[in-house]
Amino acid sequence: MDLKISPRSVQQETVRLVREAITSGYFKPGERLVEAKLCSLLGVSRTSVREALRVLATEKLITIVPNKGPSVAELSWEEAENIYHLRALLEGEAAALAAGRVKPDDLRRMREALDIFAAAVDQQDWKTRISATADFYEVIIQCCGNAIMGEVLHGLLTRINFLRARTMASPGRAKHSVRELESIYDALEKGDARVARAVAVAHVKAAEAEARDVYREMNHAA
């Protein structure tokens, strides 16, 4: 058995760690990302860092300005609001479509993700909360039967997680999220497309309201 780390796995891990550092707030919006510093922090080559930055630029987590270099993207409230609007449309429709297609094994996977999410809320583990939420929605995306819709949502995932990290850090928001995701699960289990759409949209709208408050506090603190 070959247990050596391949260059590809090093690359993927570099992308993951820098992405996580951005979504967690370790690197702040607008902060310059110096290649030499990243190499030292991560213990990887400059080639790996450059490739990671290129990937994150395509995800719109960083911006690369000629003669200035890369920096963490600053997501304005207008951009965030547009993302929430699109999420509400797509996730509501995806949940409605999934209600008529979900199978027992799909529900089992969603139940597992919900249980992990709830435990992470109690443990105040934001990383696991975000990954469990993504796992929950991944089942809905797979069950909705619309591959193009899934591609669009996957394309937004990094910025959605960027916003989730901020709203989930708000006191009480995570516990509300548990109830909201449970409502989505119940509607899918019953095969009720109308309710599934309504509760999925309500979940996004609640997250948007929390994010709006977070952005206001950030602006006041600036």
Side-chain angles (χ1 to χ4, degrees):
M1 181 181 294
D2 185 3
L3 297 179
K4 291 181 180 177
I5 298 175
S6 69
R8 180 62 181 164
S9 63
V10 169
Q11 184 59 57
Q12 291 173 331
E13 187 68 359
T14 302
V15 172
R16 184 188 70 79
L17 289 171
V18 178
R19 182 192 291 123
E20 191 174 279
I22 293 172
T23 56
S24 70
Y26 180 84
F27 294 131
K28 307 298 182 186
E31 181 177 347
R32 284 193 62 202
L33 298 174
V34 181
E35 287 185 7
K37 180 181 178 181
L38 289 173
C39 290
S40 177
L41 284 171
L42 299 167
V44 297
S45 69
R46 188 162 292 213
T47 299
S48 293
V49 166
R50 285 177 178 169
E51 179 60 21
L53 294 176
R54 186 193 66 77
V55 171
L56 295 171
T58 66
E59 295 178 357
K60 301 189 183 302
L61 272 187
I62 70 168
T63 55
I64 300 177
V65 180
N67 302 320
K68 289 188 177 180
S71 61
V72 178
E74 299 187 69
L75 189 64
S76 69
W77 172 246
E78 182 180 5
E79 292 171 305
E81 194 172 34
N82 287 338
I83 290 172
Y84 280 115
H85 179 67
L86 187 56
R87 274 190 64 194
L89 292 172
L90 294 180
E91 292 180 12
E93 182 64 14
L97 291 171
R101 303 168 62 93
V102 68
K103 300 292 191 298
D105 189 57
D106 301 318
L107 291 168
R108 179 191 59 75
R109 290 164 57 204
M110 294 179 74
R111 180 75 265 163
E112 184 177 288
L114 274 175
D115 291 343
I116 292 172
F117 182 88
V121 170
D122 291 337
Q123 295 162 11
Q124 298 185 335
D125 181 350
W126 70 267
K127 292 181 185 178
T128 301
R129 293 205 303 264
I130 289 176
S131 64
T133 303
D135 290 343
F136 179 87
Y137 273 101
E138 183 60 29
V139 179
I140 295 175
I141 290 171
Q142 291 175 2
C143 290
C144 79
N146 188 320
I148 303 301
M149 186 181 295
E151 288 177 10
V152 175
L153 284 168
H154 283 141
L156 289 171
L157 183 60
T158 302
R159 282 179 289 172
I160 289 172
N161 284 342
F162 181 85
L163 293 166
R164 279 176 179 154
R166 278 147 183 75
T167 57
M168 285 184 183
S170 301
R173 173 59 198 153
K175 291 188 180 296
H176 289 302
S177 291
V178 172
R179 292 193 292 271
E180 292 159 11
L181 294 178
E182 287 281 3
S183 295
I184 296 172
Y185 175 88
D186 289 344
L188 293 176
E189 187 178 37
K190 294 173 183 175
D192 193 325
R194 182 184 63 81
V195 173
R197 177 185 282 106
V199 293
V201 170
H203 173 60
V204 175
K205 293 296 184 182
E208 179 182 3
E210 191 70 43
R212 184 181 293 109
D213 290 342
V214 171
Y215 269 76
R216 283 174 180 160
E217 291 175 10
M218 288 167 55
N219 289 334
H220 288 157

